[in-house]
Amino acid sequence: EGMPLILCTTTSRENNMHRKFLECSYPEPFVQAKVDEIIDRILQGADSRSIVMDLLALIEGRTASTVVLGCTELSLFAK
């Protein structure tokens, strides 16, 4: 709960990219698959409302006090 949860691509997760800079956690594999799916949908220009709803559902289901959108597509989309 104390460590930030990083939502990023599977590749970044597998390379522990964010752990090189801060103590953090990554989502469970089934949640990671959903994160990758959301990133793909953003890249394909899918309906933004459904993407927001799915992203919020992922975030709300986590116990971490901080969630980092650790992927360019996610962070730009959130704006």
Side-chain angles (χ1 to χ4, degrees), residues 2 18 23 34 40 44 61 63 75 78:
H18 302 88
E23 215 175 306
K34 291 180 182 181
D40 289 342
Q44 294 167 4
T63 58
S75 61

Side-chain angles (χ1 to χ4, degrees), residues 21-39:
F21 303 100
L22 70 147
E23 215 175 306
C24 62
S25 63
Y26 294 105
E28 303 85 1
F30 75 94
V31 174
Q32 181 63 52
K34 291 180 182 181
V35 172
D36 286 334
E37 179 186 310
I38 290 171
I39 293 168

